[in-house]
Amino acid sequence: MSDLEGFGFVMPHWFYWGWLAVMPLIMMAWDKWSSGHGGEAAEPELTPGELQAEEDDPLIYLQFEGNWFTRAVDWICDKSGLFVSFWTINAVVFYFFGVVMRYIFNMPTIWVHEASFLLLGMQYMLAGAFAMLHGAHVRVDVMYNMLPARGRIGLDIFTSMFFFIFALILLTTSWSFFQDSYAMNETTVETWGIQHWPAKGMMVVGSSLLLLAGISKLIKDIVLFVRLGRERTA
């Protein structure tokens, strides 16, 4: 008897990875189509706290259109964040399916929890660049909010060196994890036994995007810092 018998439907590995790749594209195409036919494009709503933060932040009124590199990086980071955001729907559907199968049909699943935590782990890594682009990472702003616009940008430039140390360590460590996982054809210890190397490969992709997002932000910060300095001395 197979180890998977008695567990009802078991999602094939190829379908899991394929669905994660195709499903967000379908949702993004639907969103674009609906917005062009009287609907509204999917955009996150700002909370009252975020709206107040925008009013208090002098940098919100300073914009730099960027060069070809920063525009390309920002576009990739923005679309990748939107892409993985749709994965959350899958996690909800997976757990709903697991509950129904267990408590209504008395057929517990062996893959739902594993599929969901792999999905959310990859989503966490791939969304880091999106958070960097939109200023959503946590920042201690005790001194930051007391500074003028140019002072804030200067502090961002100074603290970016700590970010790049972290990002480079994350990238090299992720690459090492991926190489080891791929060489061993690492799988989970659970009965489902899905390969781990694609998930660890997403760590490499996510940390690379995060590093590129940081470079893009640094370029824009330097340009704005110089521009404000010239305006001050003019």
Side-chain angles (χ1 to χ4, degrees):
M1 176 182 293
S2 170
D3 292 339
L4 301 182
E5 291 185 17
F7 290 103
F9 171 75
V10 178
M11 180 176 287
H13 299 167
W14 65 267
F15 184 83
Y16 175 75
W17 296 117
W19 180 246
L20 292 186
V22 173
M23 178 266 191
L25 298 177
I26 297 173
M27 298 299 296
M28 292 168 72
W30 170 260
D31 178 58
K32 185 176 181 179
W33 180 88
S34 63
S35 63
H37 291 76
E40 294 184 358
E43 295 182 358
E45 295 184 1
L46 296 179
T47 64
E50 289 172 329
L51 291 171
Q52 184 61 42
E54 284 196 353
E55 294 179 1
D56 296 339
D57 188 358
L59 300 184
I60 201 66
Y61 304 106
L62 297 174
Q63 295 183 355
F64 170 56
E65 60 278 6
N67 53 33
W68 67 268
F69 174 79
T70 61
R71 287 194 296 269
V73 170
D74 293 352
W75 184 88
I76 294 172
C77 294
D78 187 67
K79 295 304 179 183
S80 64
L82 179 61
F83 181 93
V84 299
S85 68
F86 289 110
W87 283 356
T88 306
I89 301 173
N90 291 318
V92 175
V93 173
F94 290 166
Y95 277 116
F96 177 78
F97 177 83
V99 170
V100 169
M101 294 300 293
R102 174 182 289 273
Y103 293 104
I104 296 181
F105 297 100
N106 194 29
M107 298 178 66
T109 59
I110 61 168
W111 56 272
V112 165
H113 177 68
E114 200 165 8
S116 299
F117 83 70
L118 276 177
L119 177 155
L120 295 174
M122 292 186 293
Q123 185 184 54
Y124 173 82
M125 287 298 300
L126 292 171
F130 180 89
M132 169 67 72
L133 175 63
H134 294 280
H137 285 292
V138 176
R139 176 177 60 206
V140 179
D141 54 6
V142 176
M143 293 179 53
Y144 193 82
N145 287 342
M146 301 171 59
L147 298 173
R150 191 165 188 259
R152 295 187 185 192
I153 297 173
L155 185 59
D156 285 341
I157 294 172
F158 173 74
T159 56
S160 66
M161 65 179 178
F162 301 104
F163 162 79
F164 286 117
I165 293 173
F166 164 78
L168 288 171
I169 293 175
L170 180 63
L171 177 57
T172 55
T173 304
S174 299
W175 177 250
S176 178
F177 287 163
F178 169 71
Q179 281 186 311
D180 293 342
S181 181
Y182 184 79
M184 297 185 298
N185 193 28
E186 181 185 13
T187 62
T188 60
V189 296
E190 304 295 334
T191 309
W192 193 35
I194 194 169
Q195 294 84 1
H196 263 182
W197 64 263
K200 293 188 177 181
M202 293 301 101
M203 294 175 62
V204 179
V205 175
S207 54
S208 299
L209 289 175
L210 183 63
L211 182 61
L212 288 173
I215 295 173
S216 174
K217 184 179 185 305
L218 178 61
I219 292 173
K220 291 182 286 186
D221 283 345
I222 292 174
V223 171
L224 283 175
F225 186 82
V226 173
R227 180 182 296 176
L228 289 176
R230 289 175 178 173
E231 292 177 356
R232 185 177 180 180
T233 57

